[in-house]
Amino acid sequence: MFDTINKGFQWFTGLGSNGILCVALLIIGLVLGLKIGDAVRSALTATVGFIGLNLIVDMLIAQMSPATMAMVERMHWNLDVVDVGWGLMGMAWGQPASGMVIIALIATNIALIFLRFTKTLMVDFWNYWSFAACAALIYGATGNVVFTVLAACIYMAVSLKWADTVAPKYQEFYGIPGCSWPTGAIIAPAMIGIPVVKLLQKIPVIKDIKADPETMQRRMGIFGEPIVIGAVLGMLIGVIAGYDVRKVLLLGFNMAAVMILLPRMIQIMMEGLITISDQAKEFTAKYMKGREVWIGIDASTIMGNPATMSAILIMTPIVTFMSIIPGNRMLATASLVAVPWFIIGITAYAKENILHICLAAMVVFAIYFWCATAMAGAHTEIAKIVGSELPEGTSLISSLSEGGNPITFILYKILDLLGFVKF
């Protein structure tokens, strides 16, 4: 039975984030009472914007990954834990208990809504992979199915509650009503980064430094505009990577394009989401005695802020250099594609202050590096269980985004202290 469920869910996830979003929004629109034409139009509009958003993000990753790899090669660093980045995603879906995990997660979300623990209905099924990754690592560490399912559900519950907590701030800041952002990849970074930002906002001198895009543009003129900042930071990264003049210029042009095109795609996507969000308000007022239910969507929908994009470009090379912090054994390479998700959740609370965003992000990344190193054994074990081939000559693998997630690490450590971890 669970094998059939696994195959069915793997077929569904094979639609990719774009297809999953379209189907989920169409179903939700119809359930909420939209006419079929309006539901189709809203779902397709939101999906078109999301596809455009993903294309721009893919371009960002495609341009930045070779540059950061070139930086790594120039530094000749050699750490003993190999970074497999989002390779953990395949292990999350492929681990033996994944079918039970997904059923439990969906049931948990619905139950927590009815229990009034959360207002968020997570339709972002693609990003269930974060919770499934937690489950995979716990399975790798313990081989226990009960702990595996329980860990994923606890991670989801924490994510939903935190998403509820910050949703009003994000809704107002980004102008996206009726939504929340329970994407696992931004939850722990936000939980760590937001308190750090609040601390920075109280420290003399640092709190008074104005580094938001509007202030920078006013003070620096054309050199403070997002399109120019993107071009300059892109070219600077190219120089650090050792690129020739042609490649340096092309990287700058492409980063300038990202800074402008990403917010435009989000605007298109919002045209579709707002229709469904408005209908959700009418539905809850009529059938749920006015209770709010927020639609949980992908956190990349709030990536397009100029301060966020500037911080992403600044932090990408910095994360590479942070690989040598004491206590870390993993050289950040493949995980650099996930840098944006560590930053997204901080911007609104930092009031777009790029300096504060970057300082808070450094604390976040340091914690993730240490957790990724500690979880390397579980990461390697689950790779062996699902049949993933380890890089030649490698004894340990890990990753930053979910492989170093502090929520997963805390659950892992509790089980370790109780004597359930196998190694």
Side-chain angles (χ1 to χ4, degrees):
M1 175 182 174
F2 284 113
D3 184 54
T4 302
I5 293 171
N6 274 344
K7 289 179 180 177
F9 195 80
Q10 286 168 7
W11 178 90
F12 184 55
T13 57
L15 294 173
S17 57
N18 301 325
I20 291 171
L21 179 70
C22 189
V23 172
L25 290 179
L26 176 60
I27 292 172
I28 288 172
L30 293 172
V31 169
L32 292 175
L34 280 177
K35 294 179 181 178
I36 187 166
D38 291 336
V40 169
R41 186 181 300 106
S42 296
L44 285 176
T45 301
T47 303
V48 166
F50 194 63
I51 289 172
L53 174 68
N54 282 336
L55 288 173
I56 303 304
V57 172
D58 288 346
M59 184 179 81
L60 170 66
I61 292 170
Q63 293 294 320
M64 292 297 291
S65 293
T68 51
M69 289 298 294
M71 286 191 299
V72 170
E73 291 175 5
R74 292 185 78 193
M75 291 181 287
H76 301 293
W77 288 340
N78 185 25
L79 301 176
D80 67 330
V81 177
V82 174
D83 180 8
V84 296
W86 280 338
L88 178 57
M89 189 181 297
M91 303 172 205
W93 296 134
Q95 59 100 354
S98 63
M100 285 181 281
V101 166
I102 298 306
I103 292 172
L105 289 171
I106 294 171
T108 296
N109 190 182
I110 294 170
L112 293 179
I113 288 174
F114 279 100
L115 291 171
R116 297 178 181 268
F117 178 86
T118 183
K119 299 177 181 179
T120 297
L121 176 63
M122 188 171 180
V123 303
D124 180 20
F125 293 109
W126 177 258
N127 278 306
Y128 273 54
W129 89 266
S130 291
F131 313 131
C134 168
L137 291 170
I138 296 301
Y139 188 88
T142 67
N144 186 300
V145 173
V146 174
F147 292 150
T148 296
V149 174
L150 186 60
C153 292
I154 291 173
Y155 183 3
M156 170 177 258
V158 171
S159 298
L160 293 172
K161 196 64 178 179
W162 182 259
D164 285 354
T165 302
V166 298
K169 178 79 169 181
Y170 291 173
Q171 289 171 7
E172 179 184 2
F173 187 82
Y174 295 105
I176 307 177
C179 294
S180 72
W181 294 265
T183 306
I186 78 161
I187 297 300
M191 293 176 74
I192 299 166
I194 290 171
V196 175
V197 163
K198 291 183 177 180
L199 177 62
L200 293 171
Q201 290 169 341
K202 296 178 180 178
I203 297 175
V205 182
I206 292 178
K207 71 182 178 67
D208 297 321
I209 297 174
K210 303 294 184 183
D212 60 280
E214 184 178 343
T215 300
M216 292 175 65
Q217 186 171 347
R218 187 171 62 249
R219 291 178 177 176
M220 300 171 63
I222 188 174
F223 292 101
E225 294 183 11
I227 191 170
V228 178
I229 291 174
V232 171
L233 290 175
M235 286 188 280
L236 180 61
I237 291 170
V239 170
I240 298 172
Y243 282 179
D244 60 31
V245 175
R246 182 182 65 85
K247 284 189 174 181
V248 166
L249 290 173
L250 288 174
L251 186 57
F253 298 154
N254 283 314
M255 292 306 101
V258 168
M259 296 289 279
I260 297 300
L261 293 176
L262 201 62
R264 304 283 171 85
M265 294 302 105
I266 292 173
Q267 289 173 5
I268 294 172
M269 186 181 62
M270 286 316 304
E271 292 177 20
L273 284 178
I274 286 175
T275 302
I276 296 174
S277 175
D278 290 342
Q279 186 65 26
K281 291 179 183 176
E282 292 184 21
F283 181 88
T284 54
K286 184 176 181 180
Y287 295 105
M288 301 181 70
K289 298 180 180 179
R291 279 184 59 195
E292 278 190 299
V293 175
W294 292 329
I295 300 172
I297 58 175
D298 194 310
S300 59
T301 56
I302 55 173
M303 189 190 297
N305 184 279
T308 302
M309 297 307 302
S310 297
I312 289 168
L313 295 179
I314 292 169
M315 284 305 302
T316 298
I318 289 176
V319 172
T320 303
F321 288 105
M322 285 185 68
S323 297
I324 59 173
I325 62 172
N328 174 58
R329 295 166 55 190
M330 185 184 77
L331 178 61
T333 51
S335 287
L336 293 174
V337 300
V339 167
W341 282 265
F342 287 83
I343 293 168
I344 292 170
I346 302 174
T347 301
Y349 283 84
K351 300 176 182 176
E352 299 183 281
N353 189 309
I354 298 169
L355 174 63
H356 293 175
I357 296 170
C358 290
L359 291 175
M362 288 181 193
V363 176
V364 172
F365 279 110
I367 292 171
Y368 266 77
F369 270 120
W370 292 323
C371 290
T373 296
M375 293 287 292
H379 210 308
T380 307
E381 185 64 22
I382 191 61
K384 293 176 181 177
I385 290 171
V386 302
S388 295
E389 189 172 334
L390 300 181
E392 188 175 348
T394 299
S395 59
L396 288 171
I397 62 172
S398 194
S399 59
L400 277 180
S401 183
E402 290 302 335
N405 191 296
I407 298 172
T408 302
F409 171 74
I410 291 170
L411 296 172
Y412 164 85
K413 200 62 183 175
I414 291 172
L415 292 170
D416 187 24
L417 292 173
L418 293 173
F420 291 109
V421 172
K422 297 184 295 184
F423 42 81

